[in-house]
């Protein structure tokens, strides 16, 4: 009974607001054949959208789209004001600002107004975006963009922007399917990757050319840039082997070994090797060698952890060539600090 009463009161509110706000025949009687080409005036449509996007619902997805359109002076189809009103009011007809749309498009007698069937963005609903955000941000891996919202509601959190930022960072998440659908329809706008393929970030071996490589801005998006990236990683792995050999030769050069070995100085050498004195001229270069060896080693490890087959094999291929060309110069046995 309560639901029926609420429904009746809601429909009554639509009718009352429609009659008092607009006197257009096509708003009152949208089923008339003469109303096929009727359009809500831009000023009235903008006033309705402003009313929708104020108060506790100012960050509904259609409101975020309107903000983007206003700031970019965009006039493309997804910035059509009545279309944004349709996205906002579908399923929420009792919301302030939805009365004109409800009278034009949702009356029991139907409607002949073409604008009621206008094609709109494949925007996920507010509740769907909130669900996706909660699924992403409640996981075990903390993502920095989750901190942009203290609570996930349309009154305090720009839901669609935060959702897009999260999916741009890790598009392989299941909760990003709605975002991918949206960006497939309009790939060239600010919440999408600009028509480019999104880096995969798949945690198993795979092929492809679009990957995040160490930095957010290092993302090859063509065969040429991918080949150049592969060469850069190959060279880095080669230099890593050169650095290891250079450190081995350095250790040999600074080793404390007398010209002749006998029983007496053998005991002295053993004692010095067990408790070598600190020498800045010796130990500082050794530490610098170790710093760069560890740094490059971990960088190569992170590249291999992209799980991209081609990028992975760039590392051992560079190491192979380095070992082939320079390891014959190594004369001091020393275990590598990082592989």
């Amino acid at each position: 009974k309560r639901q029926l009463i609420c429904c009746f009161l809601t429909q009554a509110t639509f009718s009352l607001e429609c009659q008092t706000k607009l006197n257009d025949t096509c708003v009152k009687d949208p089923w008339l054949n003469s109303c096929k080409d009727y359009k809500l005036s831009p000023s009235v449509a903008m006033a309705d959208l402003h009313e929708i996007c104020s108060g506790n619902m100012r960050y509904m997805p259609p409101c975020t789209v309107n903000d983007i359109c206003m700031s970019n002076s965009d006039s493309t189809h997804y910035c059509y004001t009545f279309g944004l009103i349709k996205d906002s009011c579908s399923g929420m007809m009792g919301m302030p600002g939805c009365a004109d749309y409800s009278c034009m498009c949702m009356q029991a007698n139907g409607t002949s107004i073409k604008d009621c069937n206008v094609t709109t963005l494949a925007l996920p609903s507010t509740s769907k975006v909130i669900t996706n955000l909660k699924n992403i941000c409640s996981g075990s891996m903390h993502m920095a963009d989750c901190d942009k919202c203290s609570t996930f509601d349309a009154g305090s959190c720009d839901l669609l922007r935060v959702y897009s930022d999260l999916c741009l960072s890790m598009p392989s998440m299941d909760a990003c399917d709605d975002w991918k659908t949206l960006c497939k329809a309009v790939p060239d706008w600010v919440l999408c990757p600009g028509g480019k393929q999104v880096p995969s970030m798949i945690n198993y071996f795979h092929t492809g050319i679009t990957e995040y490589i160490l930095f957010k801005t290092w993302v090859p998006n063509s065969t040429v840039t991918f080949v150049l990236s592969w060469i850069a990683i190959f060279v880095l792995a080669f230099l890593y082997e050169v650095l290891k050999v250079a450190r081995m030769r350095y250790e040999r050069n600074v080793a404390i070994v007398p010209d002749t070995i006998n029983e007496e100085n053998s005991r002295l050498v053993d004692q010095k090797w067990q408790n070598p004195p600190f020498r800045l001229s010796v130990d500082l270069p050794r530490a610098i060698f170790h710093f760069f060896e560890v740094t490059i080693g971990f960088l190569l490890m992170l590249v291999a952890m992209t799980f991209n087959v081609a990028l992975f094999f760039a590392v051992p291929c560079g190491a192979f060539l380095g070992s082939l060309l320079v390891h014959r110069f190594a004369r001091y046995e020393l275990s590598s600090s990082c592989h």
Side-chain angles (χ1 to χ4, degrees):
K1 290 182 179 179
R2 289 182 180 178
Q3 292 178 342
L4 290 174
I5 292 172
C6 288
C7 182
F8 173 78
L9 291 176
T10 300
Q11 295 297 335
T13 301
F14 293 157
S15 178
L16 180 61
E17 286 194 32
C18 223
Q19 292 175 3
T20 56
K21 188 173 182 179
L22 295 174
N23 291 319
D24 292 359
T25 301
C26 289
V27 175
K28 298 177 183 178
D29 305 315
W31 53 84
L32 298 175
N33 289 332
S34 58
C35 295
K36 287 182 179 180
D37 297 321
Y38 176 82
K39 291 180 180 293
L40 202 63
S41 69
S43 59
V44 172
M46 187 57 68
D48 285 348
L49 187 59
H50 177 75
E51 188 176 1
I52 291 169
C53 296
S54 59
N56 293 331
M57 301 301 289
R58 63 181 178 273
Y59 288 131
M60 292 173 60
C63 299
T64 297
V65 174
N66 183 57
D67 288 342
I68 293 171
C69 294
M70 296 294 288
S71 61
N72 295 335
S73 299
D74 204 333
S75 59
T76 52
H77 67 280
Y78 57 82
C79 290
Y80 183 42
T81 304
F82 192 78
L84 295 175
I85 293 174
K86 177 183 176 181
D87 281 333
S88 302
C89 297
S90 297
M92 301 180 69
M93 293 182 295
M95 187 167 55
C98 290
D100 295 330
Y101 168 78
S102 300
C103 289
M104 290 170 57
C105 303
M106 303 300 295
Q107 289 201 40
N109 292 332
T111 182
S112 63
I113 299 175
K114 294 179 181 178
D115 237 12
C116 292
N117 297 317
V118 64
T119 302
T120 60
L121 276 174
L123 282 175
S125 65
T126 302
S127 59
K128 183 63 174 176
V129 175
I130 292 174
T131 300
N132 289 335
L133 285 173
K134 288 181 177 178
N135 289 338
I136 294 172
C137 295
S138 61
S140 57
M141 182 178 64
H142 176 74
M143 301 183 69
D145 289 316
C146 291
D147 296 333
K148 294 178 180 178
C149 295
S150 56
T151 58
F152 296 117
D153 63 78
S156 61
C157 174
D158 196 342
L159 300 171
L160 190 60
R161 286 185 188 272
V162 174
Y163 179 47
S164 297
D165 289 342
L166 288 166
C167 291
L168 279 169
S169 299
M170 190 172 290
S172 59
M173 294 183 291
D174 292 338
C176 290
D177 288 345
D178 293 312
W179 173 79
K180 292 176 184 176
T181 301
L182 171 63
C183 290
K184 185 176 181 180
V186 281
D188 57 341
W189 76 324
V190 295
L191 297 184
C192 296
K196 300 176 183 178
Q197 184 181 355
V198 182
S200 60
M201 298 186 70
I202 301 173
N203 293 327
Y204 51 83
F205 281 112
H206 60 278
T207 58
I209 65 171
T210 308
E211 300 285 347
Y212 286 115
I213 305 176
L214 299 178
F215 304 99
K216 186 176 182 179
T217 54
W218 190 356
V219 182
N221 284 301
S222 67
T223 302
V224 173
T225 55
F226 184 80
V227 170
L228 292 175
S229 298
W230 192 95
I231 294 173
I233 296 165
F234 175 88
V235 170
L236 187 63
F238 175 84
L239 293 177
Y240 179 61
E241 296 302 316
V242 173
L243 181 63
K244 289 197 295 183
V245 171
R247 184 184 178 201
M248 292 176 187
R249 292 181 65 85
Y250 175 78
E251 293 288 357
R252 187 191 68 173
N253 292 335
V254 300
I256 306 172
V257 179
D259 295 334
T260 59
I261 299 294
N262 53 45
E263 184 177 352
E264 181 179 355
N265 60 26
S266 177
R267 288 194 299 270
L268 293 175
V269 171
D270 289 341
Q271 184 178 359
K272 286 185 177 182
W273 272 106
Q274 292 174 6
N275 300 292
F278 175 78
R279 293 179 294 170
L280 183 63
S281 60
V282 172
D283 292 308
L284 180 59
R286 177 187 288 127
I288 293 174
F289 269 118
H290 186 69
F291 171 83
F292 283 106
E293 192 174 339
V294 170
T295 301
I296 296 175
F298 276 114
L299 288 176
L300 293 173
M301 178 191 71
L302 291 173
V303 170
M305 288 178 65
T306 62
F307 290 95
N308 183 287
V309 174
L311 297 180
F312 176 87
F313 279 105
V315 177
C317 286
F320 171 82
L321 184 64
S323 178
L324 181 68
L325 296 182
V326 303
H327 266 238
R328 67 181 183 274
F329 298 108
R331 293 292 184 271
Y332 185 83
E333 294 298 327
L334 181 71
S335 61
S336 172
S337 58
C338 183
H339 289 283

